[in-house]
Amino acid sequence: MATQIRNRIKQFPEGKTFGYDDLRIAKEDYTTAAKALERLQKTGLIKKVSKGIFYKPEQTVFGELMPDYSEQLRPYLFENGKRIAYETGISLYRRLGLTTQMAFRIKIASRGKRIYINRGTLKADGVKSYAEVTENNYEVLGLLDAFKDIKKIPDASVVQSVKRLSAILKDLDKKQTETLIKYALLYPSRVRALVGAILQNIGCKSKELDKLKQSLNPLTTTKLGLKENELPTKNNWYIQ
């Protein structure tokens, strides 16, 4: 077991985080594996990030490096090799070009459980996602979160955010657009309305747009303070 673990770890690049799943260890062997991993920690071959998560330290002329941000976060986003969560909130909106503000605490969205992190500089609060998270939908869910939070994005007006989101949606292909609409239907009406208005405004011809429109109550308006020249299709989607 110890030799098998050591050989497997040798194949990992420095700075990559790994857990028992990555080592292909059966659950009934966890106790034996834990002892082997403890011995490897004492030799300095691996370091512990958190319970059950380790990494091979990278040695540089400046000393030993910790795994980078995305690698430190990765173990919390996956379970048994499958994605169960994604990063959302200000840190994501910054990457999407919606704000320049930094987040001191990030948000992690997951359907089945709340994920909280408080390890050194990595701090996160858990929020509930609107759908079961997968590798195929997490980017769309993050994008829809930006629509949901459009009035709360720091250092960005609603008009600026609409322009940026319009540019992002313009770059989506047909399949991505249909996936966006599919998951938008799970979000609050204000998200459905704005997604529909922007898609219509950029010339989207998807038949799925009708589903978004039909999901809205004509008596419920979304108040965003937008002028008609800022989003010409807003009245079609009950947006003020």
Side-chain angles (χ1 to χ4, degrees), residues 160-175:
Q160 288 171 327
S161 295
V162 164
K163 284 181 181 177
R164 177 60 190 144
L165 289 169
S166 297
I168 294 172
L169 264 54
K170 228 175 204 176
D171 284 340
L172 300 181
D173 59 30
K174 184 181 177 183
K175 187 177 179 182

Side-chain angles (χ1 to χ4, degrees), residues 52-144:
I53 303 298
F54 309 88
Y55 71 97
K56 279 171 62 177
E58 183 179 349
Q59 304 293 342
T60 73
V61 291
F62 303 106
E64 197 175 278
L65 294 183
M66 281 282 290
D68 65 24
Y69 172 80
S70 60
E71 272 300 316
Q72 289 184 56
L73 190 58
R74 190 177 70 89
Y76 299 97
L77 305 182
F78 292 82
E79 201 170 76
N80 299 323
K82 292 184 178 179
R83 181 179 283 276
I84 58 158
Y86 64 93
E87 189 178 351
T88 188
I90 295 172
S91 56
L92 172 63
Y93 306 155
R94 177 184 169 87
R95 289 204 301 277
L96 289 173
L98 291 160
T99 181
T100 57
Q101 193 164 109
M102 302 284 285
F104 294 104
R105 289 186 73 88
I106 65 172
K107 288 183 179 179
I108 297 180
S110 180
R111 188 67 176 170
K113 65 178 183 179
R114 294 289 191 273
I115 299 169
Y116 295 95
I117 309 171
N118 191 7
R119 298 194 63 83
T121 57
L122 190 61
K123 301 180 189 300
D125 295 314
V127 296
K128 192 166 186 175
S129 61
Y130 282 82
E132 204 71 40
V133 180
T134 70
E135 193 63 33
N136 294 325
N137 71 9
Y138 79 95
E139 291 177 317
V140 161
L141 294 177
L143 185 54
L144 288 167

Side-chain angles (χ1 to χ4, degrees), residues 20 28 43 65 94 115 122 131 145 149 172 188 211 217 237:
Y20 289 87
E28 58 267 26
T43 67
L65 294 183
R94 177 184 169 87
I115 299 169
L122 190 61
D145 289 346
D149 294 338
L172 300 181
K211 290 182 183 178
N217 182 345
W237 296 84

Side-chain angles (χ1 to χ4, degrees), residues 138-203:
Y138 79 95
E139 291 177 317
V140 161
L141 294 177
L143 185 54
L144 288 167
D145 289 346
F147 278 87
K148 174 177 65 71
D149 294 338
I150 195 164
K151 292 169 84 172
K152 302 177 187 174
I153 298 173
D155 296 336
S157 67
V158 170
V159 176
Q160 288 171 327
S161 295
V162 164
K163 284 181 181 177
R164 177 60 190 144
L165 289 169
S166 297
I168 294 172
L169 264 54
K170 228 175 204 176
D171 284 340
L172 300 181
D173 59 30
K174 184 181 177 183
K175 187 177 179 182
Q176 290 170 324
T177 300
E178 290 182 352
T179 300
L180 179 78
I181 295 171
K182 171 187 171 183
Y183 287 104
L185 288 164
L186 303 176
Y187 277 72
S189 61
R190 67 182 186 275
V191 174
R192 287 177 268 141
L194 188 55
V195 169
I198 289 179
L199 284 175
Q200 187 180 42
N201 190 52
I202 62 176

